[in-house]
Amino acid sequence: MSRGVDPRLMELLNSASSLQLFELSTVIERLLADPRRIIAVRVNLHLGQTVRFLDWRDSSLRRARCWP
């Protein structure tokens, strides 16, 4: 199970059909690609700031510094 994910959510997702998971994936991708959301994130990032991000390769949280 992924760290930090509510076990109840994982249970619901595990019981979802492939179609439901595909639909959810599509909605999430659209939300993450929303220019307003991207701009809101960029406004709060500053050079040299330490951030945490999810490394998709192994689903671990990593630390990094913002650079141009």
Side-chain angles (χ1 to χ4, degrees):
M1 184 178 313
S2 299
R3 286 184 295 153
V5 177
D6 186 327
R8 296 169 296 178
L9 176 58
M10 287 304 299
E11 184 179 327
L12 287 170
L13 291 172
N14 282 328
S15 65
S17 70
S18 293
L19 177 58
Q20 289 170 320
L21 291 174
F22 177 75
E23 290 172 336
L24 182 59
S25 172
T26 302
V27 168
I28 290 170
E29 284 183 32
R30 255 189 259 138
L31 288 171
L32 289 173
D34 181 342
R36 293 172 295 183
R37 184 177 297 269
I38 294 169
I39 290 169
V41 169
R42 285 183 177 172
V43 163
N44 291 304
L45 290 177
H46 307 286
L47 287 178
Q49 177 182 354
T50 300
V51 296
R52 291 187 319 161
F53 68 96
L54 182 64
D55 188 335
W56 59 269
R57 296 171 294 190
D58 61 4
S59 298
S60 65
L61 280 178
R62 303 215 184 261
R63 290 188 184 271
R65 288 194 185 261
C66 293
W67 299 103

